[in-house]
Structure formats: C-alpha cells, structure tokens
Amino acid sequence: MTTATHDRVSPQAAAVGPRRSRSARAGSSGPTIVVAQAFLVLWAVVSTVPLLWAVISSFKSDPEIVADPWSLPKALRWENFARAWDAASIGTYFGNTVLVVGGGVALTLLLSAMAAYVFARFDFRLKGALYYFFVAGMTFPVFMALVPLFFVVQNLGLGNSLPGLVLVYTAYSLPFSMFFLVAFFRTLPGEIAEAATLDGCGEVAIFFKIMLPMARPGLISVGIFNFIGQWNQYLIPLVLVSDDSKFVLSQGLANLAVEQGYAGDRSGLFAGLTIAMVPILVVYALLQGRIQAGMTAGALK
Amino acid sequence: MRNRQQGRVIVGFLAAPVILYTVFVASPYVQAFYIALTDWRGLSAEVEVIGLANFAELSGDPVFWKALLNNLVLLVTLPVVTIGVALFLAFMLNAAGGPRSGEIRGVRGAGFYRVVYFFPYILSIAIIGVLWTNIYNPINGLLNGALRAVGLGGIQPSWLGDEKLAFWAVLAVLVWNGVGFYVVLFTAGIKAIPASMLEAAVLDGASRSQIFFRITIPLIWENIRTATVYLGIAALDAFAVVQIMTGGGPNDSTQVGSFYLYQNAFSYGRFGYASAMGVVLFVVTLALSAFTLRATRKERIEF
C-alpha cells in the first residue's frame, strides 16, 4: 500500500463526509477498498502484460529478444510481420481460418435457425425425443469421440479439407445455437406468422421473409458466440487436417512454435502470435458488451 | 392442405441439421463404444473384437493412472482457484465501490476492468499455450526476466522442465485463461440481486465480508454451480495447453487423459485402446457432473 493510493482515495472519502455519520463503521472500510483496488489493478496487469509483451517482442530483433525480455525494441522491425505472413505461412493460415469460420458460422446460423424455428413453432411426433437427442451432444466433450470422428470424416472423403472442417464445426455448433434460438423464437409474436398464413404466404416464405429478420438480435448473439468459438478451435483441425497448406491459424501457430523453436526465429513467432491475437482482440473491443452477453447467455440458461 | 405443407416444412427444415448432427456428432459417440472393444490399429489392419481387454490393460497402465490422477487434482484445484479469484473480483467490481454510506455500488472503472479481464478468455487456447511457453522460457522468458530485474537472478526456475513445477505452471495458465469469463458470469448474478437487499444489510451494520459470504454467495449460488460444472469439464480436458506447453512431461508430471488418448490414437495408432480411454473418461465425466450437481444442490432462493 503506497501513500499515493491513499491520497487518491481520501478526497473521495471527504466528499461524502456528512453522510458518513449514518454508517457506524464507515471509517474502517478505507483500507479495505485500497486493498481491493490494488487487487483489481493487479489482475488487470496480469491479464494484459503477457499480451503486450508478445506485441512488443514482435517488433524486436532476435538478439534483442534473447538479451532482455523486458527491454523495448530499438527500432520497429515490421519485417518480422512480413516474414511471418509469407515465409511462415501465417497469411495462408489466416485465409484458411477466414474461409472455414465464415462458412461454419453462416451454415451454423442457417441450419440452427431452421431447426429452432420448427421446434419453437410446430408440434410433431418425436419432437421430445429429437430435442433430447440434440441435448446429448452438448454434454459430452469432443475428445471422447475423436477416433471415430477422424474415420467418419476420412471415409466421407472430407479429410484434410476445408469443407470438411466447415461441416464438422457446424455439426458441433448446432445444439447450443439451436437451443439459444428456440428460446428466442418463442419470444416472437406468433400472430404475425398467423396473419401471413391467412394472406396466403407459404411457410418457407414466412420463415425467410418474416421470422428470420425478426430474429436478428438472436442471430447476432449466436453468430458472435460461434465466430469466437470456431475461430479459436484447435483440437478438431489438429486431428482432421494434416496437410500444412490447409492449416487454420491456431493449429499453424502451434506448429510454428515447434518449428521456430529449432529455427530460432523467435521474432517471427511473436509476429505470428500478434497477427493471430490482434484481430480477435479488436473485434472484442468493438463489440465487448454483446460478446460478453452472448458468451455468458448459454451458461445462464 | 395446410397440414401437409406444415409437415413438409418440418421435415425439410430439420433434415439437414439432423443428418449433419447424426453423422458427425452422434454416430462417433456411439462408434466409440464399439471401437473400444476392438484391437483396431488403423485403416487397413484387421479388426478383431477383443471384449474388455483394452479396459483390463488400461487398469494396469501406470501412465493412464497418472493422467487420471492429474485430471482429478485439476478437477479440485481449477474450480476452487478460478471461482475464488473470479468471485472476489466480481464482488469488488460490483458491490465494494466507494466509501460505505448505506449505498452499494461498483468501483470506479468497473467496466474497464471487466473488458480487460476478458482478454485472456477471448484468445484461442492454442495461442495461449504458445504465448505462455515463451513466458515460462527459463532463459529469455518474461517470468525469469522479471526475477532478474528485481535482483532475484539467482532463482531461475525451469518452469515447464521441472517435474515439481510444471503441473502448477499449467494450472496457472488455465486459471489465467478462465477467470475473466467467470467474473462476467458472476457479475450478471450480482447485478440481479435487488439493491434494496444489499442496502438493508448495510444499514443493519453488516460488514463487507458478511455481505459477501452471507448474502452475495447464497444469492448467486446457481451461477457458482454452473461455473463448477464448466470448470470441471475444462479440468477433464486441458488438452491444448498440455499438448502445446509440455507434451505431458516432464516424466508424465503433466500428463492428462485427453492428451494420452490423443497420443495413443494419432501417435501410436492404437485406436481401440484410445477409444477405451474415451469411454472411461466419458463415464468419469458423467458421474462427476451428476455428483457435482447433487452435492451443490440447495434450495433455490427466489427474489
């Protein structure tokens, strides 16, 4: 506890001086707050310094990195990024990831919205059974089914391919996305669909022209959730893709870490890390309220 | 007429999702049980059903036991540490602000802290593994550099190379990764507590720690349960961090079930044996989730 922190707190305490008398132990809470604040600041430092370190190191030369991990770069070596992007194939991995996640999120949204709409609006035989069939898929960790999944994908001729990854990502994203959207579709007024039916509008048109646009906020939440989940996926591509021209970012980076360890190009590795980290952090910073809500919504249901 | 159209829509809309899910999710889980009973070693090799022989071998495999033991230690330590830190931070952010004056509010900058705490959670676990491998690097890593900078250059642990340290170094990364998510989860719970309840407690002279233990924790118990189950599942996984940072070593001190399964399947080609491991881990997961939910069951407090 430094005196400086005390000074910062005291004017605040003085400002509410008159109200203090109402609470018997008001004075004793000062130090507690300072300790609490110190802990809050400490965790903020612990959360950010490792990330900042990677970004700063990505501008250093290899000798600088080896000499002192805490030093600042003497010059901004942008060539590290060029090397990581081209020579270390981060550019290829980045492109693959964009394709797979773009396809995966779009397909997940379309299929889960269709299934969710049916579950929310219609009654049919086997509805309950089908519902629990999907619930089961959310309960088990993926690595349990790793071996059979590998062979299912191989046998369908989808091994080592980006479309294969899109389909598998979608399949594993379906249960959660569907349940989230079922709850969402239930909150939408059914009368509008009824009215459209009376006007002679077909069921498919009702879904695409009326219900889907109304479900936009829900679709955005599910989309963000799946974007982050699929962008960060590691185990599935590691098992299904072994051809390094088809690697996704997380997998390529982990592979690079092993290779660079031998090659000694640590500045290139840090540049690769930065390229992988920064876009997702920027997206998060821009949309943080929605992202936090989307990612915790599942847990709170 | 309308019914037939409805029927077509139901089938048409459900067909693709159900097929995709059945092929890539449901069927692998079912097949895992069958493959576990075989000695399958790959595509071309003969497959023979060998009954429970894989399970018998597993029960005598010291590495598997070591892996399970590590998973169990993680299962206790990861939720306890993560929830402890996250609860404390969430409480401080939301209910510990300002001088006590009969008014409960968050600290200044609470929104900023919540954003920053979430950073580690938003990144791919693979990126985190690579990053922390470098932080732990004994020669030019961030940690030992810090020790040198504060004059403790004599203490230069080999964080991931030391059998006694490696496991805890891995645990620290998992905690670092998860805390931000649970701060947000608990914040949602704390925000749902009616302000009048906390204010009444303050007026009655309740201390900050009494408010924390007697009011906040019971009222967000549902969120804590959810967190326990999620972290339990994470503890039984821990794959990426172990695979990237330690490869299960040194001397199996960081070996976990998921990575040992992966090694057996994709390094040694022992698909039957690996599937048997998957089945055991599946049963353990199921039993533990049921146990956790039962053990933490409480009367739900309505407010």
Side-chain angles (χ1 to χ4, degrees):
Chain A
M1 217 80 26
T2 61
T3 23
T5 1
H6 267 299
D7 286 344
R8 251 206 348 227
V9 172
S10 50
Q12 199 189 354
V16 285
R19 294 166 78 190
R20 256 177 162 190
S21 52
R22 278 202 274 154
S23 176
R25 272 172 299 158
S28 67
S29 63
T32 326
I33 290 172
V34 176
V35 173
Q37 290 272 18
F39 199 82
L40 291 174
V41 171
L42 178 74
W43 195 264
V45 169
V46 169
S47 302
T48 47
V49 165
L51 311 180
L52 282 175
W53 179 64
V55 174
I56 291 170
S57 298
S58 68
F59 287 105
K60 291 177 165 184
S61 67
D62 278 331
E64 281 179 299
I65 288 173
V66 174
D68 180 5
W70 283 85
S71 67
L72 291 172
K74 293 204 178 63
L76 296 181
R77 295 176 187 276
W78 293 99
E79 66 265 27
N80 294 339
F81 288 89
R83 211 167 55 245
W85 188 264
D86 291 327
S89 307
I90 292 289
T92 309
Y93 305 153
F94 200 95
N96 290 344
T97 312
V98 169
L99 286 177
V100 171
V101 174
V105 170
L107 195 60
T108 303
L109 283 179
L110 178 69
L111 296 186
S112 58
M114 280 169 24
Y117 178 67
V118 169
F119 272 107
R121 190 142 175 264
F122 302 116
D123 276 314
F124 51 94
R125 264 186 309 161
L126 297 178
K127 185 175 171 177
L130 212 51
Y131 198 80
Y132 283 108
F133 180 56
F134 277 105
V135 172
M138 289 204 302
T139 340
F140 311 139
V142 182
F143 65 81
M144 233 152 257
L146 219 49
V147 171
L149 176 67
F150 173 75
F151 287 105
V152 165
V153 173
Q154 290 287 322
N155 293 338
L156 290 172
L158 292 167
N160 256 327
S161 80
L162 300 184
L165 279 185
V166 170
L167 292 178
V168 174
Y169 281 12
T170 303
Y172 279 87
S173 307
L174 274 177
F176 169 80
S177 310
M178 208 183 85
F179 290 120
F180 188 95
L181 290 174
V182 168
F184 198 85
F185 276 120
R186 286 211 176 113
T187 65
L188 298 179
E191 296 87 24
I192 298 176
E194 300 291 328
T197 314
L198 292 178
D199 287 347
C201 206
E203 289 289 349
V204 177
I206 292 177
F207 174 71
F208 282 104
K209 292 201 178 135
I210 300 173
M211 299 313 274
L212 219 46
M214 281 208 295
R216 230 178 103 179
L219 290 172
I220 291 175
S221 296
V222 174
I224 291 172
F225 181 87
N226 282 310
F227 171 78
I228 291 170
Q230 296 185 6
W231 185 275
N232 290 343
Q233 186 52 247
Y234 177 65
L235 181 60
I236 289 176
L238 182 71
V239 169
L240 297 185
V241 174
S242 52
D243 171 359
D244 70 2
S245 69
K246 305 274 174 56
F247 277 1
V248 296
L249 207 44
S250 56
Q251 175 189 21
L253 205 70
N255 187 53
L256 190 66
V258 178
E259 283 184 355
Q260 296 308 51
Y262 300 118
D265 182 6
R266 296 199 53 207
S267 54
L269 177 65
F270 280 115
L273 263 178
T274 305
I275 295 171
M277 266 178 3
V278 169
I280 202 103
L281 288 177
V282 169
V283 169
Y284 166 67
L286 293 175
L287 299 171
Q288 54 91 12
R290 268 185 182 285
I291 289 178
Q292 288 190 351
M295 294 185 79
T296 42
L300 291 171
K301 275 204 192 305
Chain B
M1 181 65 191
R2 243 190 85 194
N3 269 346
R4 191 187 290 167
Q5 199 198 358
Q6 252 187 26
R8 274 211 304 267
V9 169
I10 291 170
V11 174
F13 276 23
L14 282 178
V18 169
I19 290 171
L20 209 58
Y21 176 80
T22 307
V23 170
F24 292 113
V25 184
S27 93
Y29 284 120
V30 176
Q31 287 180 51
F33 287 92
Y34 166 72
I35 298 174
L37 303 176
T38 70
D39 63 351
W40 199 19
R41 277 175 178 272
L43 282 166
S44 54
E46 287 288 305
V47 182
E48 203 178 320
V49 176
I50 52 169
L52 298 175
N54 284 328
F55 294 95
E57 190 186 338
L58 264 183
S59 70
D61 183 340
V63 181
F64 185 65
W65 281 108
K66 179 70 191 163
L68 269 191
L69 182 69
N70 283 336
N71 276 129
L72 286 179
V73 177
L74 275 182
L75 197 67
V76 176
T77 51
L78 182 62
V80 167
V81 179
T82 309
I83 292 176
V85 175
L87 259 182
F88 177 76
L89 291 171
F91 180 70
M92 288 303 160
L93 285 176
N94 293 290
R100 297 256 314 265
S101 55
E103 177 192 8
I104 290 287
R105 57 195 172 90
V107 294
R108 268 191 295 175
F112 166 78
Y113 287 121
R114 268 198 303 276
V115 173
V116 167
Y117 293 170
F118 214 69
F119 280 164
Y121 188 76
I122 213 84
L123 296 173
S124 165
I125 192 76
I127 292 177
I128 289 169
V130 173
L131 178 61
W132 278 88
T133 307
N134 282 286
I135 292 174
Y136 283 136
N137 185 310
I139 299 154
N140 39 41
L142 193 63
L143 266 182
N144 284 359
L147 288 175
R148 283 195 296 273
V150 297
L152 291 171
I155 309 169
Q156 294 281 290
S158 170
W159 298 97
L160 299 175
D162 184 330
E163 234 176 278
K164 290 193 199 74
L165 283 177
F167 180 82
W168 305 107
V170 168
L171 173 69
V173 174
L174 291 172
V175 171
W176 180 81
N177 171 227
V179 161
F181 176 79
Y182 296 97
V183 169
V184 173
L185 185 68
F186 296 148
T187 295
I190 292 172
K191 285 235 166 101
I193 299 175
S196 58
M197 223 166 198
L198 296 171
E199 278 159 19
V202 174
L203 288 176
D204 286 347
S207 71
R208 209 173 290 272
S209 64
Q210 279 174 323
I211 291 177
F212 181 64
F213 288 109
R214 301 263 178 90
I215 298 177
T216 308
I217 290 187
L219 286 181
I220 63 166
W221 192 251
E222 276 301 310
N223 299 30
I224 296 174
R225 270 180 77 176
T226 309
T228 312
V229 173
Y230 274 43
L231 285 162
I233 291 171
L236 284 174
D237 186 336
F239 173 82
V241 167
V242 166
Q243 194 247 353
I244 293 170
M245 290 176 55
T246 66
N251 197 14
D252 294 323
S253 61
T254 60
Q255 185 62 275
V256 287
S258 58
F259 182 63
Y260 193 47
L261 184 161
Y262 173 84
Q263 278 185 314
N264 270 283
F266 300 104
S267 305
Y268 317 142
R270 299 198 61 192
F271 297 110
Y273 194 53
S275 281
M277 240 175 259
V279 169
V280 171
L281 292 170
F282 162 74
V283 173
V284 171
T285 309
L286 216 59
L288 284 166
S289 314
F291 171 78
T292 314
L293 287 177
R294 220 155 223 292
T296 57
R297 183 182 290 169
K298 261 192 177 183
E299 286 298 305
R300 191 192 265 270
I301 301 168
E302 301 288 348
F303 53 85

